[in-house]
Amino acid sequence: MLQSRAWRHFQMRLAILLLCATTTPRTIKAFMSNPTDQSSHLSTLGNLIPMPVSVQPGGATFTLASDTKIMIEATNDELMKIGRYLSDKLKPATGYELPVVAAAESAASKNIVLTTTGGDSTLGDEGYELTVSPDGVKISAHQPAGLFRGIQTLRQLFSPEIERTTPQSAPWTIPTGVIRDYPRFVWRGTMLDVSRHFFKVDDVKRYIDLLAYYKLNRFHLHLSDDQGWRIVINSWPKLATYGGGTEVGGGVGGYYTQAEYSDIVAYAQDRYMMVIPEIDTPGHTNAALASYAELNCNDIAPARYTETKVGFSTLCANKEMTYTFMDDVIRELAAITPGPYIHIGGDEAASTSHEDYIKFIERVQTIVQSHGKQMIGWGEIAKTHLLPTSIAQHWTNDGAHQAAEQGAKIIMSPATKTYLDMKYHPGSPLGLSWAAYIEVKDGYDWEPTTQTPGITEKDILGVEAPLWTETILTMQDIEFMTFPRILGYAEIGWSPMTGRNWAEYSARLAIHGQYLTALNVNFYRSPQVAWLP
């Protein structure tokens, strides 16, 4: 049954009472920094997601005005780009020009200052200090990435209407205070499977924008699988032109040119998000095997595949041609991927013998290294000999502790908690349920350091939430399955573990429904959350 508005507001107030009874002084101080009813539309230092490390309210307000400027350090092109990003985000709803001006800080009264001069190095590369006073706003950081993260916090201090793309009449007033913030984990990401169903560049860019709003910094792109190969490899052109020509259900599929892929990478870089390309091998390779017969042990190319069963395909581990192929693919991908990682898959290789699997992964690991990259693979790679620089992505009962024992870091993506393609409940219109039903609370209410026996915080690189696309056809589908669960994963990856609890978080999440609405996100309105009207 649908909840009445009165019942939802009762739940919200109950969550606030629970917050005061169960959370740390830091969180209480942040949440109660504005004495206004928390079910209102007014901005507050306590509505932020992810929750910052430290919040000290100031008790007054700052108002953005039509003559406000964004001030940056002189002759700094990177800060100019960040300043224009902020201006572009605030301009549509406010109607203000918000010019970006290179000028001395002393001239910054009533303006927004972005600076790395004197930035606190103890906050790390992504940390920032955001100071709001009645006279202006200042974001300082040790590195430009920290300024970008601080901008996302600043956006959330305004009322949700700030995210509209048309002029709004809301007062652009935010609370004063000081926020000092930095991430818990270096890896906070998601994966998008464009192989089972293909998504065009504009959809991927929109997804990146929405992820960046919640301070995610890793975008794992699953570029090949049984159903489709999605990136041009110049030395093996049929991979894209033939192997990319279908998808689950028999659609036309598609692929990215290397220029389009580079455009996605650059777009993500401008939002301080790293793209990690994945070519899934030695299994999940039917699209490649169908494109080139010589990659098959019997030299016979199979038909292209449009269903969802897994575990039936494998590259021929005993052919030298296979490693020529892998070297060419990795070389071309490495050349257009500025980040340090190449993901080689390694999961569900049921048709590859144990001996062949070990031979393949260990040889491909050296190929990845030869092109100046670090290998990432799904958890099954832990049964091979890993270099300490390689990374295992934990998703099931796959012996991740074996990887940690070899010195490899772990990305935590437990399928029962983080798989965005899992249904919310049995009646969900999209998704699967082989791992679990993952309601919003289930996705938030877990801890990476206690999830898997033998894996501790020192072993963990971070958290990633994958979205496989067997049932996902459109951008609206992506948004429905990702939001609001991704907000919880963002907080698990960024915020301190101490004081994190569902009752307090769900109260903030209820408010963020208004931000998601303003951003025009097709999000799932979970009955576990007392969403505001």
Side-chain angles (χ1 to χ4, degrees):
M1 294 179 62
L2 294 176
Q3 297 172 313
S4 70
R5 180 179 300 180
W7 174 246
R8 291 199 304 270
H9 284 185
F10 168 77
Q11 288 183 312
M12 173 70 75
R13 292 181 177 89
L14 177 61
I16 296 169
L17 290 174
L18 288 171
L19 162 70
C20 294
T22 61
T23 59
T24 64
R26 171 188 64 81
T27 309
I28 295 171
K29 182 181 288 187
F31 196 84
M32 301 306 294
S33 60
N34 187 328
T36 316
D37 178 0
Q38 297 298 320
S39 66
S40 76
H41 292 198
L42 296 178
S43 59
T44 163
L45 294 170
N47 288 343
L48 302 169
I49 297 178
M51 177 62 79
V53 172
S54 171
V55 178
Q56 296 294 328
T61 60
F62 165 79
T63 300
L64 192 73
S66 59
D67 60 349
T68 297
K69 299 179 180 62
I70 298 171
M71 319 292 286
I72 66 163
E73 298 162 17
T75 67
N76 191 315
D77 292 341
E78 188 170 6
L79 265 60
M80 177 63 74
K81 184 181 290 188
I82 293 172
R84 287 172 177 162
Y85 170 93
L86 176 58
S87 178
D88 289 344
K89 291 299 181 185
L90 301 182
K91 189 183 302 183
T94 65
Y96 301 159
E97 284 302 314
L98 301 172
V100 184
V101 179
E105 186 179 333
S106 59
S109 179
K110 300 293 184 180
N111 296 318
I112 300 172
V113 176
L114 307 177
T115 181
T116 56
T117 298
D120 186 349
S121 62
T122 66
L123 297 176
D125 289 349
E126 294 184 272
Y128 63 92
E129 183 171 282
L130 170 59
T131 303
V132 183
S133 74
D135 295 327
V137 175
K138 179 180 177 181
I139 305 176
S140 64
H142 179 56
Q143 296 293 338
L147 295 179
F148 187 83
R149 306 296 177 223
I151 281 173
Q152 311 317 313
T153 299
L154 177 61
R155 290 169 66 186
Q156 292 183 21
L157 291 179
F158 288 99
S159 62
E161 287 76 17
I162 198 71
E163 301 303 335
R164 301 283 184 182
T165 57
T166 56
Q168 305 293 309
S169 58
W172 307 119
T173 297
I174 61 176
T176 59
V178 178
I179 296 173
R180 284 177 58 82
D181 201 13
Y182 52 86
R184 179 185 181 192
F185 291 114
V186 69
W187 191 289
R188 310 175 309 281
T190 190
M191 184 216 77
L192 179 62
D193 168 18
V194 296
S195 297
R196 287 172 175 83
H197 282 103
F198 181 67
F199 296 91
K200 294 184 178 179
V201 171
D202 285 347
D203 286 337
V204 175
K205 287 182 174 181
R206 170 165 169 79
Y207 197 39
I208 288 170
D209 270 326
L210 294 173
L211 298 172
Y213 187 65
Y214 290 102
K215 300 185 175 71
L216 295 175
N217 68 348
R218 299 288 187 268
F219 186 59
H220 173 179
L221 202 53
H222 186 81
L223 289 167
S224 74
D225 215 295
D226 291 313
Q227 299 86 356
W229 186 285
R230 306 303 184 200
I231 180 70
V232 168
I233 302 298
N234 293 323
S235 51
W236 298 75
K238 286 174 59 181
L239 291 170
T241 58
Y242 185 74
T246 191
E247 60 186 12
V248 168
V252 298
Y255 58 85
Y256 306 119
T257 66
Q258 291 195 6
E260 288 172 327
Y261 173 82
S262 295
D263 184 32
I264 291 171
V265 169
Y267 193 85
Q269 281 186 307
D270 284 347
R271 285 139 187 85
Y272 295 89
M273 186 175 294
M274 182 189 298
V275 172
I276 297 93
E278 179 187 354
I279 300 298
D280 205 348
T281 59
H284 290 275
T285 47
N286 194 81
L289 298 172
S291 301
Y292 288 96
E294 57 267 41
L295 297 177
N296 296 272
C297 288
N298 61 5
D299 293 321
I300 299 173
R304 292 183 294 187
Y305 183 70
T306 61
E307 299 182 26
T308 59
K309 180 182 177 182
V310 300
F312 64 91
S313 62
T314 183
L315 292 171
C316 192
N318 293 311
K319 274 190 170 184
E320 192 60 28
M321 177 64 71
T322 294
Y323 302 103
T324 299
F325 165 76
M326 292 301 299
D327 186 71
D328 288 339
V329 170
I330 291 167
R331 171 177 48 80
E332 292 195 31
L333 266 183
I336 55 176
T337 301
Y341 308 109
I342 299 288
H343 201 304
I344 57 85
D347 60 318
E348 299 178 318
S351 295
T352 312
S353 71
H354 177 72
E355 294 76 13
D356 284 351
Y357 181 86
I358 292 174
K359 177 194 305 180
F360 178 87
I361 296 296
E362 291 182 358
R363 185 159 177 187
V364 170
Q365 181 176 229
T366 64
I367 292 172
V368 172
Q369 290 277 330
S370 74
H371 293 291
K373 304 295 183 181
Q374 294 171 246
M375 185 185 78
I376 304 176
W378 297 102
E380 290 93 325
I381 67 169
K383 61 190 175 185
T384 72
H385 175 69
L386 297 178
L387 297 171
T389 54
S390 292
I391 297 165
Q393 186 164 1
H394 166 70
W395 69 283
T396 187
N397 186 21
D398 50 25
H401 64 282
Q402 293 174 288
E405 288 170 356
Q406 298 184 65
K409 293 294 185 181
I410 310 297
I411 299 168
M412 294 299 292
S413 300
T416 58
K417 295 294 184 181
T418 69
Y419 268 31
L420 292 167
D421 54 305
M422 292 297 106
K423 288 175 176 283
Y424 291 99
H425 55 78
S428 290
L430 299 171
L432 304 173
S433 59
W434 59 263
Y437 295 110
I438 305 178
E439 249 291 357
V440 176
K441 184 176 186 293
D442 301 316
Y444 180 81
D445 206 8
W446 67 285
E447 165 54 33
T449 61
T450 60
Q451 177 69 22
T452 304
I455 301 299
T456 63
E457 184 148 1
K458 68 179 178 60
D459 304 314
I460 296 173
L461 194 60
V463 177
E464 182 177 298
L467 178 59
W468 305 99
T469 59
E470 288 93 336
T471 68
I472 312 303
L473 281 70
T474 67
M475 186 63 205
Q476 282 206 322
D477 293 346
I478 289 175
E479 292 174 6
F480 182 80
M481 297 303 284
T482 301
F483 297 91
R485 286 184 290 197
I486 198 69
L487 280 68
Y489 303 131
E491 179 148 305
I492 291 169
W494 181 281
S495 302
M497 177 177 62
T498 304
R500 199 176 72 227
N501 68 82
W502 167 253
E504 186 275 328
Y505 170 73
S506 64
R508 283 183 285 126
L509 182 59
I511 294 166
H512 270 258
Q514 296 182 333
Y515 289 87
L516 294 174
T517 297
L519 290 163
N520 199 30
V521 176
N522 179 42
F523 69 99
Y524 165 63
R525 290 183 174 270
S526 169
Q528 296 180 331
V529 180
W531 302 104
L532 300 186

